[in-house]
Amino acid sequence: MQSLLANAHAGRFDVVLSEALDRISRDQEDVAGVFKRLRFAGVTIVTLSEGEINELHVGLKGTMNALFLKDLAIKTHRGIRGRVEAGKIGGGNAYGYRVVHRLDTHGEPIRGEREIIEEQAEIVRRIFREYVAGKGPRHIAADLNREGIPSPTGNRWNDATIRGNRIISSGILNCELYVGVIRWNRQKKLKNPDTGRFTYRLNPESDWIRTEAPELRIVPQELWDAAKVRQDNLTALYKKQIDSSRDAMRELRNSGMNATHRPRTLLSGLVFCGSCGGTYSRRGQDRFTCSNRVLGNGCDNARTVPGKTLEARVLAGLRERLMTPDMMAEAVRAYAEETNRLNCDRRHSAEANRRELGEVAKAIAEIVHVIEQGGWHRALSDRLTELEARQDNLTARLADIPQDVPDLHPSIAETLRRRIERLTEALSHPGNALEAANTIRQIIDRVVVTPGQKRGSYSITLQGELGTILDWIDRNEKPGYKPRTDTAQSRLSASINARA
């Protein structure tokens, strides 16, 4: 749909043809928005059911389609509730079970029946036994991966698959179906009107439906209870950290920021393993280690890096290595040369296309003139079709030519050095630390950790997109500045040798 709207504004078609208006969308807001934008672009919507669409169709049919969706959702929800209350599964399938396919006496499929897969059931019991014995979900997942046992998705196991979320009963350790209990309607799915993505919200516990299904039990009750006791003990042990994390998330939500996308640390999501290319993640006592190594995915990089040490080395490297005047001057010089070369190529290409487009338009006009004078020939018609196709191609190419990137100021390297110094200083002040951390995350693209030859040694390589760095400087220097949409992608990196 986004591609269709973009092509409509580029003038690449005149009509959108659809089976019916509800094939475009059943959401009233979406239908009205698409209609408004296509009307502005001079594009008409025509459907086989309603004909040419106008404001009346958008209002009436949009409302009817939205009501149809609402009514369908209510009926579906009521039907699934009846199935669950009859002891059937009302949702997807869980690990350890297979869907049973059979028909009733009228030939209709019986839905919601499951049977236990004994091989997978034994894996479930093993996970519970090892967890109760004190092994963490991460180590359990690593052992399963080393033994080549497929996960519920058929890929490799990870700790989140086992640990899950106790509040919403996700994960192997929280699935009540393993003790013969079907729980349904715990949460509802809502669509974010701004992003179009779905999110889940917990329903009140009074709305939950709970049905006994003893034939589906996999885990003995005493083993399940022991796992819940260990979960309770761990929750009590880390209560302070959990509460502080929830308070921080709540504060970010109240401040209007999207807490679900905010990194936990300065380098979260930026650190990568130099051996396998996988991500480094924070584990245990604030140490970063390769996730593939921890999960048994074949990486032999056992080097761990203290979080504080890693941040200190990255900031020092950013200030003293990556952003030195000499390095930046050379990088900016090469960047400017490449930018100028691309600008020159674009200008020459655009000028050649414009000249050819003019010649094609002139040839088309001459052929049309001959045909209008009664001199029609098949060869002229074929040539006219060929020229029109070439004209459309040239017009599209001219419309897609990116704009020239402005030339760079010679003092930009020194300007960047001063800004990096102020950024690293701002990190030590609580009031400015969050903003400074976000800015540094814009500058650094990747932090690659590679183990050294000696025990405890490792090297760190910082990588950043030079175009992004320069764009960030302009954005800070000019009020109301908007980021450029087309920059020469030059990667700038620097290595920093470090010992633990």
Side-chain angles (χ1 to χ4, degrees):
M1 185 61 70
Q2 295 297 329
S3 176
L4 181 142
L5 292 175
N7 290 332
H9 286 291
R12 295 180 179 174
F13 51 83
D14 303 310
V15 177
V16 171
L17 180 64
S18 174
E19 172 71 23
L21 190 60
D22 61 6
R23 294 302 86 206
I24 293 177
S25 178
R26 282 192 172 128
D27 185 279
Q28 292 171 288
E29 182 183 9
D30 288 346
V31 169
V34 170
F35 175 78
K36 184 190 301 182
R37 287 162 177 77
L38 290 179
R39 175 65 64 87
F40 178 75
V43 176
T44 303
I45 302 177
V46 177
T47 70
L48 301 184
S49 299
E50 298 94 3
E52 182 174 340
I53 299 300
N54 55 36
E55 289 82 359
L56 189 61
H57 292 100
V58 172
L60 294 179
K61 295 290 291 187
T63 301
M64 292 172 61
N65 292 333
L67 290 175
F68 170 80
L69 271 187
K70 183 68 174 177
D71 186 56
L72 180 63
I74 292 174
K75 290 179 178 177
T76 302
H77 192 271
R78 187 167 62 245
I80 295 176
R81 174 170 184 156
R83 186 191 308 166
V84 172
E85 290 176 340
K88 309 294 183 182
I89 302 297
N93 196 29
Y95 182 76
Y97 303 94
R98 69 167 58 93
V99 178
V100 177
H101 299 282
R102 63 189 184 91
L103 306 178
D104 60 15
T105 55
H106 301 288
E108 295 294 326
I110 299 176
R111 306 184 187 278
E113 291 196 348
R114 302 288 188 271
E115 65 181 11
I116 296 174
I117 304 174
E118 191 52 45
E119 297 82 0
Q120 295 183 0
E122 181 54 37
I123 299 298
V124 172
R125 286 189 287 267
R126 167 185 167 175
I127 290 173
F128 273 86
R129 287 194 299 266
E130 293 183 352
Y131 181 76
V132 170
K135 186 181 289 188
R138 193 182 313 121
H139 293 142
I140 297 174
D143 289 344
L144 293 173
N145 288 331
R146 291 189 186 97
E147 296 175 25
I149 298 173
S151 72
T153 61
N155 299 317
R156 302 185 72 82
W157 291 84
N158 60 63
D159 55 335
T161 304
I162 296 172
R163 180 187 296 111
N165 186 322
R166 194 174 182 184
I167 296 177
I168 62 174
S169 299
S170 66
I172 297 289
L173 294 174
N174 302 305
C175 179
E176 287 190 279
L177 190 59
Y178 294 143
V179 288
V181 175
I182 301 174
R183 180 186 284 181
W184 177 76
N185 203 35
R186 290 184 305 247
Q187 56 190 7
K188 55 187 174 184
K189 185 167 73 170
L190 299 175
K191 183 178 180 180
N192 188 319
D194 295 323
T195 65
R197 297 182 178 180
F198 288 98
T199 184
Y200 292 89
R201 303 274 177 82
L202 276 178
N203 290 326
E205 194 166 349
S206 58
D207 293 342
W208 296 2
I209 304 299
R210 186 183 175 96
T211 305
E212 298 291 333
E215 70 279 3
L216 297 180
R217 177 186 284 273
I218 288 177
V219 178
Q221 190 63 44
E222 60 273 13
L223 187 58
W224 172 271
D225 293 339
K228 297 298 111 178
V229 169
R230 183 166 186 237
Q231 285 181 324
D232 291 338
N233 293 337
L234 290 175
T235 301
L237 181 63
Y238 294 103
K239 184 177 186 304
K240 184 181 296 185
Q241 292 90 325
I242 294 173
D243 290 343
S244 62
S245 177
R246 286 176 178 170
D247 291 340
M249 297 284 278
R250 191 178 300 111
E251 182 178 347
L252 287 171
R253 289 194 198 98
N254 294 337
S255 65
M257 299 179 181
N258 189 347
T260 60
H261 294 148
R262 187 158 303 281
R264 293 190 221 176
T265 68
L266 173 64
L267 302 178
S268 292
L270 298 180
V271 188
F272 292 84
C273 175
S275 298
C276 69
T279 58
Y280 254 63
S281 56
R282 193 173 61 169
R283 304 289 184 185
Q285 299 298 319
D286 192 30
R287 298 184 71 90
F288 281 81
T289 185
C290 177
S291 299
N292 285 334
R293 167 74 180 185
V294 172
L295 294 176
N297 289 343
C299 182
D300 58 358
N301 180 11
R303 194 78 74 242
T304 63
V305 187
K308 295 298 182 183
T309 302
L310 182 60
E311 289 185 7
R313 298 300 304 180
V314 166
L315 294 177
L318 187 64
R319 181 176 58 250
E320 300 169 5
R321 295 285 189 90
L322 190 62
M323 302 306 175
T324 59
D326 291 342
M327 178 175 286
M328 282 305 302
E330 176 61 22
V332 170
R333 183 195 63 77
Y335 181 86
E337 288 182 358
E338 178 67 8
T339 299
N340 292 338
R341 186 189 67 79
L342 290 175
N343 287 343
C344 184
D345 290 346
R346 291 190 188 105
R347 285 191 289 267
H348 288 166
S349 177
E351 186 60 31
N353 287 336
R354 290 192 188 95
R355 284 198 304 269
E356 185 179 356
L357 185 61
E359 294 171 358
V360 169
K362 183 178 179 181
I364 290 175
E366 291 175 353
I367 293 176
V368 171
H369 178 71
V370 171
I371 294 176
E372 288 177 342
Q373 298 300 319
W376 183 88
H377 297 283
R378 180 176 178 180
L380 286 177
S381 177
D382 293 342
R383 178 58 178 164
L384 181 61
T385 301
E386 179 184 340
L387 289 172
E388 288 177 337
R390 182 59 180 167
Q391 185 183 45
D392 292 341
N393 180 264
L394 290 170
T395 302
R397 287 169 62 180
L398 285 171
D400 290 339
I401 292 178
Q403 297 180 354
D404 288 352
V405 178
D407 292 337
L408 302 173
H409 196 278
S411 65
I412 195 167
E414 179 61 22
T415 302
L416 179 58
R417 185 188 63 79
R418 292 196 305 268
R419 289 197 168 275
I420 292 298
E421 287 183 350
R422 287 201 294 269
L423 272 176
T424 53
E425 291 173 1
L427 284 170
S428 60
H429 300 285
N432 302 327
L434 183 59
E435 182 180 354
N438 290 335
T439 303
I440 286 181
R441 290 177 61 84
Q442 295 176 27
I443 296 172
I444 300 175
D445 186 43
R446 292 166 69 92
V447 178
V448 181
V449 179
T450 305
Q453 296 294 330
K454 298 180 180 180
R455 179 180 177 84
S457 65
Y458 50 86
S459 64
I460 301 172
T461 302
L462 305 184
Q463 296 177 350
E465 292 292 347
L466 183 57
T468 303
I469 295 172
L470 300 176
D471 184 63
W472 166 72
I473 295 174
D474 282 344
R475 191 164 62 247
N476 283 271
E477 292 289 341
K478 301 174 183 178
Y481 174 81
K482 293 183 179 180
R484 297 191 297 270
T485 58
D486 179 63
T487 57
Q489 295 299 305
S490 303
R491 184 178 296 281
L492 184 65
S493 65
S495 296
I496 307 156
N497 293 326
R499 292 185 61 84

